Amino acid sequence: MKFTKLVSMLLCSAMSINFIGVVNADAAAIRGDLNHDDQLNLSDLDVLQDYLLHVSSLPASDGAAADMTDDKIVNAYDAAAMRSMIIGLNRNLKYTLISDKYTSGFKDTVKDNSAFAAISSTAELQQFLGKFLDDSLISNYTKKYDTAFFNKSVLLMKPVYAVPTVKKPEKYTGFSESFAGIYKTNGVYTYLNLRSEPNTNCSIVGEIYPGDKITVYYGNGAWAQVEHKGKFGFASMQYLQKVSDPEPVYAPDTSIKGVSYNNKKIEVELSSTNGEYSGFPLKVLQAIISKDDYYAESVSCGTTATTTQPAATTTTVTTTAKPATTTVTTTTMSAAQRYPLAAKELEKVGKDLRSAFNAAVGITYYGHTNDMPQDDKTSMEWYADYGFKNRKGNCYVMAAMFCEMARVLGYEAHQISGRVPLRAGGYGAHSWVEVKIGDTFYVFDPDFQNENPDKNGYQIYYGQSGTWKYEKLSVMS
């Protein structure tokens, strides 16, 4: 903060500007739904923030929806309240579902049914798919999901590998699938020999009795390649009569049933049924959600399997369906995934702590206005997002930006809310960061450096000469 200002002046400014007469509450079905899409998310916060920044107007009819604190004034405190509500509101998320099917171009590792990722950059996409797909398929996805896509969306991706449990013999040379089907013996009074090769000079491996039905996989008009009571072999087609086409082959089929946000965690629900096999062993499921709805500490992917038995049949071509089970894979988000704007900033300024600190120091100081809160009721993420997007902010914004970047770099870092003495007397709200280096937590204060370019706010300690007298009140993150 700028310490020449008194706290009373700040509060007066914050509470007296941007009054909207609150109209009948029936005008808003959902509190905070300012873009009228019947849900509350970060896009509504953008609308409110644009109003507070005088970027756009807010219709009087939206006054009730915007007044989150019910004080008949719309200001920065409503923005903070809306942000807190968004983070804590459990809800179903809108998503776009895409399913791609492949018969080739993938690695054996794709058979791991726990594979799942929440992806927020092209680099993360390439790294994830590199474990499962060939380069030719990966390039299709990186072209489709580029930087412009990830600026607005998050991709939830799960490769699903499924094949029938039916054992099928390798096709004999010269045979064709055109003869496939369900057959029964014809003109057989004792039994028909099941042979190891398609000729009468080879060994007999079984016997097919009158009335028995067998599965024919391939044939050449004279001999059929068959399965009978669990045995594979060859039978003379002279004594076989086709009774039906091949029975459908079944295999597990998985899809995304829903995406929800619960207790700061995004949950992806999959549905799995034992459906007719499509001939594509690999399916890549993709759920696209807006970044406005993506604000979670972790992502989980659970599969509920429901067995759909095929119609009763006498054919021996069957799929043994697994009993219904539920499996859950939880992916804890990396710091770069949680703080994509911080990761993007580090790509520009350099991936070290000093560069991150300088980047936070370098924004334009902006505060003491009704659209800029300075308290621990507003989240670190809100402050940081504001700073990265607008390149301006107060001490809370600078501290939040640096804290996120420090976390992306792998440091244990915490944003602190407290106060420091004012030159005019009394105390003023202030925020800084504690970063653990070795076994010691140091103070990093970007705003101190911003206001005092000739002094050092980088890696200092409490009580150090030439710095402010910090009074720590709460840990925000």
Side-chain angles (χ1 to χ4, degrees), residues 269-460:
E269 183 182 1
L270 304 178
S271 63
S272 181
T273 58
N274 198 37
E276 187 171 339
Y277 182 55
S278 64
F280 294 90
L282 175 64
K283 181 159 64 171
V284 180
L285 298 174
Q286 305 137 74
I288 300 171
I289 62 175
S290 169
K291 274 194 173 178
D292 288 340
D293 268 327
Y294 190 77
Y295 212 84
E297 295 176 354
S298 64
V299 183
S300 69
C301 182
T303 305
T304 302
T306 56
T307 303
T308 303
Q309 295 287 358
T313 177
T314 56
T315 178
T316 55
V317 182
T318 59
T319 297
T320 303
K322 295 181 179 180
T325 58
T326 299
T327 58
V328 176
T329 301
T330 300
T331 301
T332 301
M333 298 171 64
S334 68
Q337 288 175 313
R338 286 195 65 190
Y339 313 121
L341 296 181
K344 186 177 180 180
E345 184 75 10
L346 289 170
E347 292 289 341
K348 294 190 297 184
V349 304
K351 296 181 180 180
D352 61 88
L353 203 60
R354 172 64 79 171
S355 296
F357 183 79
N358 291 341
V361 172
I363 69 170
T364 301
Y365 186 89
Y366 176 77
H368 304 185
T369 60
N370 66 307
D371 64 292
M372 181 52 62
Q374 48 182 24
D375 54 50
D376 59 1
K377 297 181 179 63
T378 305
S379 69
M380 177 188 73
E381 291 82 1
W382 186 90
Y383 284 120
D385 286 357
Y386 183 94
F388 287 125
K389 292 177 180 178
N390 298 286
R391 312 308 301 179
K392 62 181 182 179
N394 60 13
C395 57
Y396 281 82
V397 171
M398 296 179 193
M401 292 172 65
F402 175 66
C403 191
E404 285 194 355
M405 288 188 283
R407 289 184 174 184
V408 173
L409 291 171
Y411 290 92
E412 181 181 347
H414 304 280
Q415 183 173 4
I416 307 301
S417 180
R419 64 180 190 170
V420 295
L422 297 174
R423 293 173 185 172
Y427 287 86
H430 188 57
S431 183
W432 60 95
V433 180
E434 291 181 351
V435 178
K436 188 176 184 181
I437 299 177
D439 295 325
T440 304
F441 277 99
Y442 292 93
V443 172
F444 289 76
D445 190 346
D447 177 63
F448 176 80
Q449 188 88 44
N450 178 281
E451 294 189 40
N452 303 277
D454 57 332
K455 295 183 179 181
N456 176 48
Y458 180 87
Q459 197 172 342
I460 58 179

Side-chain angles (χ1 to χ4, degrees), residues 164-172 176-178 180-181 215-219 225-227 230-233 246-249 277 279 316-318:
T165 56
V166 176
K167 294 181 179 179
K168 196 173 183 179
E170 184 177 351
K171 184 169 64 174
Y172 193 83
S176 169
E177 290 187 39
S178 61
T215 299
V216 172
Y217 295 105
Y218 317 104
Q225 194 171 358
V226 308
E227 186 269 334
K231 292 182 179 180
F232 294 100
E247 293 290 340
V249 178
Y277 182 55
T316 55
V317 182
T318 59

